Amino acid sequence: MLVLGVETSCDDTAAAVLQDGRTILANVVSSQDQVHGPYGGVVPELASRQHIRNVLPIVDSALQKAGVRLRDLDGIAVTYGPGLVGSLLVGLSLVKGMSFRSGIPYVGVNHLEAHLLAIHLEHDVPFPYIALLASGGHTLLYCVKGVGHYVHLGGTRDDAAGEAFDKVAKMMALGYPGGRIIDNLAKAGDPKAIRFPRARLKKSAYEFSFSGIKTAVWHYLKAQGAEEGKTSQADIAASFQEAVVDMLVNPTIKAAVASDVKRIVLSGGVAANSRLRASMTERADDEGVQVFSPAPKFCTDNGAMIALTGYHWLKRGRRDDYRLNADADLTL
Ligand code: KG4
Ligand code: ZN
């Protein structure tokens, strides 16, 4: 079964061709980092305009790389939410048009579900597993019991983890998107240089909060500015990253231990973070829990995870009609 996956929910235009839910024949991503970089964050209107420019060449390039023609496809999968509504509409409208013109069935894919299943692009991880989904827009903890069977355990009360990385990078004038830049810079720094506070929420063991750390870094930078650069940028980056990583690792390990699920899966852009991957694995080892992390290119937004999720639903007979609308606030 050949499935084309199209993703335009935020600031990456992506398309992939997947065979039988396993073999990636093509996976093409066009990043808009250059467009949004000067603003230190995604500008929605610019994102949708850029998707309009990119989406056809990206889909064409994926088909060409895969060596397949449109009529060879058995189905098309496209993200219909959550995300920026203008961006979502670009991919969804294109795929509706392609499906209408060719008669090839299409399904709308939930972007969050796609992140949770992305691990299966590379690893045969048995269900159930505890999944930490940490991206620019979401920080969520699920017990994934099977395709379509997701038990919500917790989430962030305020900012997403990726948002904290991006905002701190902006405060430190490091560039956009901040996650990868801080990850690289932190390698040269001491994670114990500054002890930033870790938010611990009393009511639920599985809730996260990242607004406090953001404010703490802001106050630190302000105070340090007056003192004339005592700590290096690398030390600040490493100490901030260590605090975020601790706040992500603790509830995830707790969830795995409490539910006696021996597998943890990392997903979403922040799962590309080298320190998060290492720390989660270290802590999980002590508890006899295995950690699976997708390759960084499958942590950040990509068409392959959309094609994979679409494949599962197409296989189960789901077909969407042309009334399906983009849903910016779609939940799982
Ligand atoms: O999943 P994703 O590509 O898009 C959303 O669905 O939001 O995640 C993007 C987020 C951004 O906030 C980015 O800074 C963060 O993932 N990110 C990272 C790393 N690579 C990307 N955060 C920490 N370390 C990284 N290496
Ligand atoms: Zn995403």
Side-chain angles (χ1 to χ4, degrees), residues 172 194 196 217 220-221 224 231-240:
M172 295 174 70
I194 311 144
F196 286 121
V217 175
Y220 185 87
L221 291 171
Q224 191 194 239
T231 323
S232 73
Q233 294 272 82
D235 282 349
I236 301 173
S239 301
F240 157 75

Side-chain angles (χ1 to χ4, degrees), residues 111 115 135 301 305:
H111 184 89
H115 274 304
S135 69
D301 291 348
M305 68 179 190

Side-chain angles (χ1 to χ4, degrees), residues 10-11 13 32 35-36 42-52 84 87 90:
C10 189
D11 60 341
T13 318
Q32 299 184 9
V35 175
H36 304 289
V42 179
V43 183
E45 180 59 24
L46 294 181
S48 39
R49 287 180 194 204
Q50 201 63 25
H51 283 307
I52 290 173
L84 302 168
S87 292
V90 177

Side-chain angles (χ1 to χ4, degrees), residues 111 115 135-137 162 165-166 177-180 183 268-270 272-273 299-301:
H111 184 89
H115 274 304
S135 69
F165 271 101
D166 295 337
R180 207 177 42 227
D183 192 351
V270 179
N273 185 268
C299 291
T300 47
D301 291 348

Side-chain angles (χ1 to χ4, degrees), residues 288-303:
V289 174
Q290 250 185 309
V291 177
F292 299 87
S293 314
K297 66 177 175 191
F298 299 126
C299 291
T300 47
D301 291 348
N302 63 87

Side-chain angles (χ1 to χ4, degrees), residues 2 16-19 22-27 62 64-68:
L2 268 183
V17 179
L18 190 68
Q19 189 169 35
R22 284 222 133 250
T23 315
I24 301 164
L25 300 182
N27 185 48
Q64 211 171 56
K65 279 196 178 148
V68 302

Side-chain angles (χ1 to χ4, degrees), residues 47-256:
S48 39
R49 287 180 194 204
Q50 201 63 25
H51 283 307
I52 290 173
R53 274 185 214 114
N54 289 346
V55 75
L56 271 176
I58 290 295
V59 166
D60 276 343
S61 147
L63 290 173
Q64 211 171 56
K65 279 196 178 148
V68 302
R69 293 156 304 181
L70 182 62
R71 63 172 178 273
D72 299 329
L73 296 172
D74 298 293
I76 311 177
V78 59
T79 310
Y80 78 104
L84 302 168
V85 74
S87 292
L88 289 164
L89 281 169
V90 177
L92 183 59
S93 309
L94 172 78
V95 168
K96 280 184 185 175
M98 287 169 73
S99 170
F100 185 72
R101 166 84 173 76
S102 63
I104 297 165
Y106 92 97
V107 284
V109 165
N110 183 320
H111 184 89
L112 304 176
E113 179 179 29
H115 274 304
L116 294 182
L117 298 178
I119 193 71
H120 301 285
L121 289 166
E122 303 163 286
H123 303 279
D124 285 321
V125 185
F127 298 110
Y129 52 82
I130 300 295
L132 171 69
L133 197 178
S135 69
H138 297 87
T139 304
L140 293 160
L141 203 54
Y142 281 95
C143 180
V144 178
K145 298 196 165 177
V147 173
H149 198 169
Y150 312 107
V151 181
H152 176 268
L153 300 175
T156 181
R157 294 271 180 90
D158 38 59
D159 291 356
E163 202 177 341
F165 271 101
D166 295 337
K167 286 181 179 165
V168 165
K170 190 174 177 181
M171 283 180 218
M172 295 174 70
L174 296 175
Y176 174 85
R180 207 177 42 227
I181 302 170
I182 289 184
D183 192 351
N184 288 333
L185 181 61
K187 287 183 179 129
D190 174 8
K192 293 201 177 99
I194 311 144
R195 175 81 193 169
F196 286 121
R198 276 75 166 151
R200 232 179 259 129
L201 298 162
K202 286 206 181 91
K203 274 202 182 142
S204 162
Y206 307 140
E207 300 278 301
F208 307 87
S209 168
F210 297 102
S211 65
I213 176 88
K214 194 182 62 187
T215 313
V217 175
W218 187 80
H219 282 298
Y220 185 87
L221 291 171
K222 221 173 115 189
Q224 191 194 239
E227 275 184 43
E228 256 320 294
K230 270 188 145 181
T231 323
S232 73
Q233 294 272 82
D235 282 349
I236 301 173
S239 301
F240 157 75
Q241 177 176 271
E242 198 64 13
V244 173
V245 165
D246 275 354
M247 288 189 278
L248 289 171
V249 169
N250 290 334
T252 310
I253 300 282
K254 244 185 228 159

